Amino acid sequence: MEDEYRFETLTIHAGQPPDPATGAVMTPIYQTSTYVQTDVGVHKGYEYSRTGNPTRTALETCLAALEGADFGLAFASGMAAIDTLLRLVSPGQHVLVGDDVYGGTYRLFDRVLRDYGLSFSTVDMADLEAVSRALRPETRLVWLETPTNPLLKVADIAAVSELAHDHGAQVAVDNTFASPFLQQPLALGADFVVHSTTKYLGGHSDVVGGAILTDDGDACQRLKFLQNAVGAVPGPMDCWLVLRGLKTLALRMERHCANARRIAAFLADHPAVERVHYPGLPADPGHALAARQMRDFGGMVSFVAKGGEAVARRVVTGTRLFALAESLGGVESLIEHPASMTHASVADSALAVDPGLIRLSVGVEHADDLIADLARALGRGAPE
Ligand SMILES: *Cc1c(COP(=O)(O)O)cnc(C)c1O
């Protein structure tokens, strides 16, 4: 299926043939914990739903197809996927981590996994010389996000992968911000892709989930063992919600990108705005690389309003359409204050963010309505 069809077609059909038992066009929600055996050990491929469930299989097959991967595994959350992947790293080994990764990822590495003998250090993944210097003989894994959160910095997946492989390390890319519609890290040389399917893949802010995709058959066997042995699996209803969201992924991403591009241009021209972070802006430091590596520039925009934190807090509470909330990637637009919300857990670390920063998850509403909403809130933010 992967070789025959294009992305838009795969979102709707990969892993989802009509149900063989009934002809149902939609993949059924196999809400069952166990499966009958006709003799001891004789069954139709499923024994127990932590180990496997047909709705989850459909999701895993579809996600693998969308990332161009041989194997896909679904998890109960993005963090569960990340935690499971990190179990490939042994005590004494080192993980090199991008310096503005998702706050929850940094927290898991720094405050949970460090206690189990793994070591972590951070580096600016956009600076290849710094990456090269930071790789150690004991580096097992390089962990990167691009574009990053919340500064939308762009890293060269192919170049970082080459450096890592030269040092005997593997590369994992958290592709949550881009989605496979915009960028496919495995094709660029990465070894693993992880997703929080909670975001663009689900797309409707109604489910929490995660996934790992890879072409590495040995690693996949171990990860599949861990998925079952550790047990952080998604239920069939949650898998079905992500499958439903995936069907419109390409359509939604096109609108997210178009709206974000207009909003970034509006903000860049606004007198109350100090700076805008969006790789789609020609002046953005990541623009050329993003244009090469991504199909479009994504739906996330961040900016600093003149006046610092006090103004930022007034702006994020002053919008009507943009809802003040954590998370991202849903059809509805969200606004948030990273320093006190998504990035509060890293406030005292190397990952601390500018307290004046505002992050937008631009939804698929009409761009004119979104721009009017931001214009009103920025007017309100201005000092009297
Ligand atoms: C949300 C998010 C995660 C964590 O995923 P959950 O589904 O919330 O557990 C990891 N990485 C990135 C980039 C995210 O945005």
Side-chain angles (χ1 to χ4, degrees):
M1 168 90 67
E2 291 88 298
D3 301 334
E4 279 177 69
Y5 296 115
R6 293 171 182 81
F7 188 89
E8 291 79 351
T9 309
L10 293 172
T11 61
I12 294 162
H13 294 289
Q16 301 158 82
D19 180 43
T22 63
V25 166
M26 286 303 303
T27 303
I29 302 162
Y30 285 93
Q31 195 71 52
T32 186
S33 61
T34 192
Y35 307 81
V36 73
Q37 308 199 1
T38 50
D39 200 344
V40 177
V42 180
H43 52 74
K44 300 188 178 209
Y46 295 96
E47 298 172 286
Y48 184 62
S49 278
R50 169 160 38 73
T51 321
N53 175 284
T55 315
R56 194 172 98 208
T57 303
L59 174 62
E60 293 176 335
T61 306
C62 187
L63 289 172
L66 297 184
E67 285 286 2
D70 290 342
F71 310 102
L73 296 168
F75 292 87
S77 68
M79 291 318 305
I82 295 169
D83 178 62
T84 303
L85 184 54
L86 263 289
R87 289 169 196 259
L88 298 181
V89 182
S90 305
Q93 293 184 321
H94 169 251
V95 181
L96 183 60
V97 187
D99 67 0
D100 61 348
V101 295
Y102 177 69
T105 300
Y106 185 79
R107 179 176 57 194
L108 173 70
F109 292 176
D110 190 50
R111 291 171 57 191
V112 181
L113 297 175
R114 223 186 258 290
D115 292 345
Y116 292 84
L118 279 55
S119 69
F120 299 91
S121 64
T122 59
V123 70
D124 178 359
M125 288 287 168
D127 181 346
L128 292 172
E129 278 186 18
V131 173
S132 182
R133 279 196 304 275
L135 285 159
R136 305 176 188 172
E138 70 274 21
T139 304
R140 166 74 178 82
L141 192 65
V142 174
W143 189 273
L144 75 100
E145 293 174 17
T146 177
T148 62
N149 174 23
L151 292 178
L152 290 318
K153 286 196 297 191
V154 184
D156 189 332
I157 296 172
V160 171
S161 298
E162 212 175 299
L163 280 175
H165 292 159
D166 285 348
H167 282 74
Q170 288 191 298
V171 176
V173 176
D174 181 336
N175 205 25
T176 300
F177 265 41
S179 89
F181 179 69
L182 298 181
Q183 143 186 305
Q184 295 179 317
L186 298 179
L188 296 167
D191 302 283
F192 304 99
V193 170
V194 303
H195 277 285
S196 168
T197 58
T198 313
K199 316 293 168 54
Y200 287 107
L201 301 185
H204 295 76
S205 305
D206 54 8
V207 63
V208 170
I212 304 175
L213 300 312
T214 185
D215 290 334
D216 182 335
D218 292 341
C220 183
Q221 269 200 338
R222 177 70 185 159
L223 290 167
K224 192 157 177 53
F225 168 81
L226 287 166
Q227 182 193 39
N228 182 52
V230 178
V233 293
M237 179 72 196
D238 286 354
C239 292
W240 185 87
L241 283 166
V242 178
L243 278 169
R244 172 171 226 193
L246 285 176
K247 290 178 191 293
T248 54
L249 177 65
L251 290 168
R252 287 185 284 107
M253 291 313 297
E254 284 171 3
R255 176 65 72 83
H256 283 298
C257 292
N259 282 356
R261 192 171 21 244
R262 281 202 51 201
I263 285 171
F266 159 78
L267 291 170
D269 277 348
H270 198 287
V273 172
E274 194 171 293
R275 62 176 187 278
V276 181
H277 303 276
Y278 184 62
L281 290 172
D284 190 272
H287 180 69
L289 175 56
R292 204 164 73 230
Q293 181 167 276
M294 302 171 71
R295 187 200 298 234
D296 204 334
F297 301 101
M300 300 300 294
V301 177
S302 62
F303 67 101
V304 176
K306 287 178 185 156
E309 177 165 11
V311 170
R313 283 175 178 267
R314 279 210 294 281
V315 172
V316 299
T317 53
T319 51
R320 292 178 201 164
L321 274 177
F322 280 86
L324 177 60
E326 301 200 2
S327 199
L328 61 114
V331 290
E332 66 293 316
S333 291
L334 304 179
I335 191 166
E336 67 118 356
H337 182 237
S340 58
M341 295 169 66
T342 51
H343 289 65
S345 70
V346 294
D348 301 322
S349 76
L351 277 73
V353 297
D354 184 334
L357 192 76
I358 295 168
R359 190 187 78 178
L360 305 177
S361 172
V362 178
V364 301
E365 302 94 335
H366 198 291
D368 291 346
D369 292 334
L370 296 176
I371 287 171
D373 194 33
L374 288 171
R376 187 169 48 231
L378 279 165
R380 185 174 173 263
E384 315 283 294

